[in-house]
């Protein structure tokens, strides 16, 4: 994905009251590689302006793939986040047309275009490539065998001097990827060389690496995460791991726990949407208090690593839609209730959180 420098983003039908998370993330952190966005309802407008992304490069919105081809893209990126594994017929048609036009296709869907015979044939005719970001990493499922024939997975301690930070949340879609990317930006601003480990399809599309843990077979989530985080810690003193889901979310708790135990973090950052009262997709399931979520995440970390003092070091909030005074008051209350530094990294910067997660020198 890093090699693509002229990306067309397909978002048709996904630009609703809350625009595509994929589109927002890609335009916020990789706008320099995007040449156009496809959404017929917003054709003729500037994507960055519509999304309210200050300082972002102007990016034209066009009505269809034919118009997008006039901008000479080298890839079509699918900005869709369906809950299931089916693919919309219109989107599949656009993928086939893109492949027939010689464009690579980058997909974060659970649907695997690399297993779609018609898509594979279209790609073969033009030399285009299909990149299914959520492709299960089968090569990481294999482990060495010990002398007694039993498979071995080593949970190795990270390199001395490295420090791993994992984002956890009170809910899904609570800013975990954004928080880690903003912490990375703040660290780079201080002359540090942090590593960012993407664990979801959007983070992978932005960074060009990582692993989509919700596409990993459940038995291997912990070991796959352990491997990618261990590798990052070999190269970086500060490793920032994108989180997924929430331990208190009935649908997504499993992937969160696998990340928590596999990443073996030294500290955690809790992400929280100030306006949310119930967990995503389950309006009848109320959110626990922030203090309770902190408690269960710290306890869960100690289930596997009882001797490690992994703690929540700070709170990253989403205050979108709140006036500045209300946002600041809510942040102050959280700090008083928890004794932890809190901020909205997009409104007020990530420096306070970076100070909290960096180990003392």
């Amino acid at each position: 994905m890093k090699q693509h420098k002229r990306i067309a983003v397909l978002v048709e039908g996904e630009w609703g009251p809350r625009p595509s998370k994929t589109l927002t993330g890609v335009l916020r952190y990789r706008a320099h590689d995007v040449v156009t966005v496809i959404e017929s309802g917003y054709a003729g407008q500037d994507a960055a302006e519509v999304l309210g992304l200050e300082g972002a490069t102007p990016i034209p919105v066009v009505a269809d793939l034919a118009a997008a081809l006039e901008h000479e893209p080298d890839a079509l990126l699918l900005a869709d986040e369906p809950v299931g594994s089916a693919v919309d017929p219109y989107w599949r048609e656009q993928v086939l047309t893109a492949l027939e036009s010689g464009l690579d296709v980058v997909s974060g869907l659970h649907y695997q275009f690399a297993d779609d015979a018609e898509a594979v044939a279209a790609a073969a005719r033009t030399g285009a490539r299909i990149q299914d970001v959520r492709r299960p990493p089968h090569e990481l499922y294999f482990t060495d065998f010990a002398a007694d024939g039993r498979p071995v997975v080593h949970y190795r301690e990270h390199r001395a001097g490295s420090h791993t930070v994992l984002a956890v949340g009170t809910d899904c879609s609570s800013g975990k990827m954004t928080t880690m990317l903003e912490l990375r930006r703040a660290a780079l601003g201080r002359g540090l060389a942090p590593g960012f480990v993407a664990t979801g399809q959007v983070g992978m599309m932005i960074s060009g690496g990582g692993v989509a843990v919700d596409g990993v077979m459940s038995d291997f989530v912990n070991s796959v995460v352990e491997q990618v985080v261990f590798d990052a810690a070999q190269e970086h003193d500060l490793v920032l791991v994108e989180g997924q889901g929430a331990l208190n979310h009935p649908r997504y708790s499993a992937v969160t726990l696998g990340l928590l135990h596999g990443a073996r973090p030294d500290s955690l950052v809790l992400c929280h949407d100030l306006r949310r009262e119930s967990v995503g997709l389950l309006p009848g399931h109320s959110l626990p208090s922030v203090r309770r979520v902190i408690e269960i995440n710290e306890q869960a970390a100690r289930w596997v690593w009882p001797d490690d003092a992994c703690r929540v070091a700070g709170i990253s909030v989403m205050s979108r839609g709140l006036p500045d005074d209300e946002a600041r008051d809510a942040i102050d209350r959280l700090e008083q209730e928890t004794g932890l530094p809190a901020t909205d990294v997009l409104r007020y910067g990530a420096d306070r959180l970076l100070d909290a997660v960096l180990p003392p020198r």
Side-chain angles (χ1 to χ4, degrees), residues 252-332:
Y252 303 118
S253 56
V255 69
T256 310
L257 189 60
L259 268 169
L260 185 60
H261 289 167
R264 194 172 185 173
D266 298 291
S267 59
L268 306 171
V269 172
L270 179 68
C271 302
H272 175 60
D273 187 335
L274 290 174
R275 298 193 303 169
R276 207 172 300 181
E277 297 181 355
S278 59
V279 300
L281 304 177
L282 295 172
H285 196 93
S286 299
L287 285 179
S289 69
V290 168
R291 292 182 64 179
R292 176 57 181 153
V293 176
I294 290 172
E295 180 183 32
I296 64 175
N297 277 276
E298 291 181 346
Q299 286 179 342
R302 291 195 296 271
W303 293 345
V304 173
W305 312 115
D307 298 327
D308 290 350
C310 179
R311 296 285 187 271
V312 172
I315 303 171
S316 174
V317 305
M318 293 172 62
S319 63
R320 179 183 55 221
L322 293 178
D324 182 72
D325 57 344
E326 290 185 26
R328 290 184 183 276
D329 286 346
I331 289 171
D332 287 344

Side-chain angles (χ1 to χ4, degrees), residues 152-277:
V152 177
V153 177
H154 295 290
Y155 277 100
R156 295 160 291 182
E157 292 190 6
H158 298 168
R159 178 179 58 84
S162 67
H163 190 83
T164 298
V165 184
L166 171 67
V168 294
T170 57
D171 195 6
C172 54
S173 299
S174 55
K176 294 179 283 291
M177 180 194 74
T178 299
T179 296
M180 291 293 103
L181 288 170
E182 290 298 320
L183 277 172
R184 179 179 181 275
R185 178 178 287 172
L188 288 171
R190 296 191 191 182
L192 305 176
F196 169 72
V197 177
T199 61
Q201 75 277 9
V202 184
M204 293 177 69
M205 290 173 174
I206 293 168
S207 68
V211 60
V213 293
D214 62 1
V216 178
M217 190 180 298
S218 60
D219 274 1
F220 298 96
V221 170
N222 298 36
S223 58
V224 166
V225 171
E226 189 269 345
Q227 184 64 57
V228 295
V229 174
F230 179 86
D231 290 344
Q234 294 295 96
E235 300 182 17
H236 302 276
D237 289 342
L238 177 63
V239 178
L240 304 169
V241 185
E242 176 190 8
Q244 300 293 330
L247 285 181
N248 53 282
H249 198 301
R251 291 187 177 179
Y252 303 118
S253 56
V255 69
T256 310
L257 189 60
L259 268 169
L260 185 60
H261 289 167
R264 194 172 185 173
D266 298 291
S267 59
L268 306 171
V269 172
L270 179 68
C271 302
H272 175 60
D273 187 335
L274 290 174
R275 298 193 303 169
R276 207 172 300 181
E277 297 181 355

